[in-house]
């Protein structure tokens, strides 16, 4: 027997072999909280919403301990690689081929023959980390245009799996044609959607609008409410659906057209007729139509793949919206908040986490805050922005959305909410794999505790105790100025009783017999500390 095997096409580019595992080499850096913004002022208390300033590849790595597998919806708007954006390849990769790209602005098609290679080398490790952060029932939405859409599809097939592709949404970004276009006037962008695990991802229905409900204009003035006429025929033929329905006014018996059948059985038709669920036209003398009641349809509608600007706005409105919040033409094509709101509404529930690692103008936070205000949800956002305007523009926009903006008839009420602003700090490990003592003992302990338990760290009164979980006590016997040794003398200092002990130290002099007796697991510093 001939067996056909279908293989997904594989994308190759200059530098691919050097970036496939580059995300593993990226140093884990601590996040240094600068301030929390709440109720119109800065506060010391942390917020579940985060805005992070720093390289997004390193920042994504820093999110892994707390957020790996927990982000329900990711939206990113990476460089489209048009040649006009002025983006620079700056990843710290040691390969000589890639090093020569560092600091160079990526040019246009005719000027830079390696522009697609650079873009793919930039995107691949970021997508790998985003895949790790995504929840099993989550999905990623990626804005892109024709310059890299084909490459993006192939690279996402490789990272997320082709079987987890959901769809390509077409967003009508322009409301009028551009007469200066050389070939065609581009009216749309794509939003590529991939699930972490397609079988687990459940999209929400879109809310029904009054525009969709207006077709339910008939009413029999009974408890069933408004209805509209619907087709009684079905495409798939069955003999059980071939029978006559008598018009109670004229007595005429109506059969389905030849080759067609009714969508219900004869007994069901009699039940519908007795319950006044057939419509025979305005004068009551026509063919039967089914009364479809508004109360019987879904609470929403299935999302479609073409998003018109009348429903989710367009690029020019996104720019107008941004300029009404922040003065000055900083961004050429910021996304409108309505577009992001629709993505979040379809892809999240009320307590989910949304991540945007190319935050730019901060539209994603705007969309989250708007939707939370609308439905009373508690969605959390994480924004990452590498440029210097992360605080002065990205975070500032979010502050004004929280407080309200505009004046007079154009005033927009604040959404409420809060966020913490972070700078990307120093790495936990030095290049020689030793612990970086400059970040401070507490940050090191926080990292080790989280690597073991995936829980937030709280400082303990007992020396060297990190905490307890599931009858296990965790100790980090560490001293920057001397070598620590796990021996019987140290054991006698332990005050916390537990069924098992995990103890980090530089050396261990305990016998295997003693360790088995007290259920002790020794982990050597820094060798056995988990690297994310």
């Amino acid at each position: 027997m001939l067996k056909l095997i279908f293989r997904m096409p594989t994308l190759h580019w200059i530098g691919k072999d050097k970036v496939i595992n580059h995300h593993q080499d990226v140093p884990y850096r601590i996040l240094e909280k600068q301030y929390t913004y709440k109720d119109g002022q800065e506060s010391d208390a942390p917020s579940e919403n985060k805005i992070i300033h720093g390289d997004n590849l390193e920042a994504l790595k820093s999110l892994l301990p707390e957020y790996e597998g927990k982000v329900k919806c990711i939206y990113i708007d990476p460089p489209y690689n048009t040649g006009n954006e002025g983006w620079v390849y700056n990843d710290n990769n040691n390969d000589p081929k890639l090093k020569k790209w560092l600091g160079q602005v990526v040019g246009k098609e005719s000027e830079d023959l390696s522009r697609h290679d650079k873009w793919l080398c930039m995107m691949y490790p970021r997508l790998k980390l985003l895949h790790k952060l995504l929840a099993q029932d989550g999905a990623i939405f990626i804005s892109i245009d024709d310059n890299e859409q084909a490459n993006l599809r192939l690279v996402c097939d490789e990272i997320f799996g082709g079987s987890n592709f959901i769809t390509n949404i077409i967003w009508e970004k322009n409301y009028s044609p551009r007469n200066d276009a050389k070939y065609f006037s581009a009216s749309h962008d794509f939003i590529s959607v991939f699930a972490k695990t397609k079988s687990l991802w459940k999209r929400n229905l879109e809310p029904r609008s009054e525009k969709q409900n207006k077709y339910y204009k008939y009413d029999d003035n009974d408890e069933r409410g408004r209805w509209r006429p619907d087709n009684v025929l079905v495409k798939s033929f069955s003999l059980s659906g071939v029978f006559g329905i008598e018009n109670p006014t004229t007595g005429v018996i109506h059969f389905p057209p030849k080759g067609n059948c009714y969508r219900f059985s004869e007994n069901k038709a009699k039940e519908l007729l007795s319950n006044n669920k057939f419509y025979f036209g305005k004068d009551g003398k026509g063919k039967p139509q089914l009364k479809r009641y508004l109360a019987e349809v879904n609470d929403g509608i299935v999302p479609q793949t073409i998003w018109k600007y009348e429903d989710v706005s367009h690029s020019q409105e996104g720019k107008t919206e941004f300029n009404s919040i922040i003065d000055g033409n900083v961004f050429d094509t910021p996304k409108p908040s309505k577009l992001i709101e629709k993505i979040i509404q379809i892809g999240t529930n009320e307590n989910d986490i949304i991540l945007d690692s190319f935050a730019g103008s901060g539209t994603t936070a705007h969309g989250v805050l708007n939707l939370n205000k609308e439905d009373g949800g508690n969605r959390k956002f994480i924004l990452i922005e590498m440029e210097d305007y992360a605080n002065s523009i990205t975070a500032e926009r979010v502050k004004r959305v929280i407080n309200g903006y505009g004046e007079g008839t154009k005033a927009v009420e604040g959404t409420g909410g809060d966020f913490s602003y972070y700078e990307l700090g120093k790495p936990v490990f030095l290049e020689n794999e030793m612990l970086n003592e400059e970040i401070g003992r507490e940050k090191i302990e926080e990292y080790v505790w989280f690597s073991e338990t995936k829980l937030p760290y709280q400082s303990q009164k007992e020396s060297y105790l990190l905490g307890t979980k599931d009858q296990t006590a965790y100790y980090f016997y560490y001293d920057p100025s001397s070598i620590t040794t796990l021996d019987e003398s140290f054991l006698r200092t332990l005050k916390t009783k537990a069924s098992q002990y995990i103890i980090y130290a530089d050396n261990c002099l305990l016998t295997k017999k003693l360790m088995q007796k007290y259920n002790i697991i020794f982990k050597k510093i820094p060798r056995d500390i988990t690297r994310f």
Side-chain angles (χ1 to χ4, degrees), residues 47-50 67 71-73 344 348-356 364-365 368-369 372 377-383 418:
S47 166
E48 292 184 285
N49 298 314
K50 290 180 171 67
Y67 293 100
V71 178
K72 185 62 175 292
C73 178
I344 297 168
T348 72
N349 295 316
E350 293 181 354
N351 294 301
D352 287 332
I353 300 170
I354 298 93
L355 167 63
D356 181 351
T364 297
V368 171
L369 291 167
N372 280 347
N378 187 35
R379 299 170 188 84
K380 278 76 68 176
F381 61 80
I382 303 171
L383 268 55
D418 53 53

Side-chain angles (χ1 to χ4, degrees), residues 141-170:
F141 296 73
I142 308 172
S143 283
I144 203 70
D145 73 358
D146 282 315
N147 283 284
E148 295 292 356
Q149 188 272 331
N151 288 333
L152 177 68
R153 172 63 195 271
L154 289 175
V155 81
C156 284
D157 281 347
E158 185 171 321
I159 294 172
F160 291 86
S163 61
N164 289 315
F165 172 71
I166 301 294
T167 193
N168 261 333
I169 297 165
I170 295 174

Side-chain angles (χ1 to χ4, degrees), residues 75 253 414:
Y75 170 75
I253 298 177

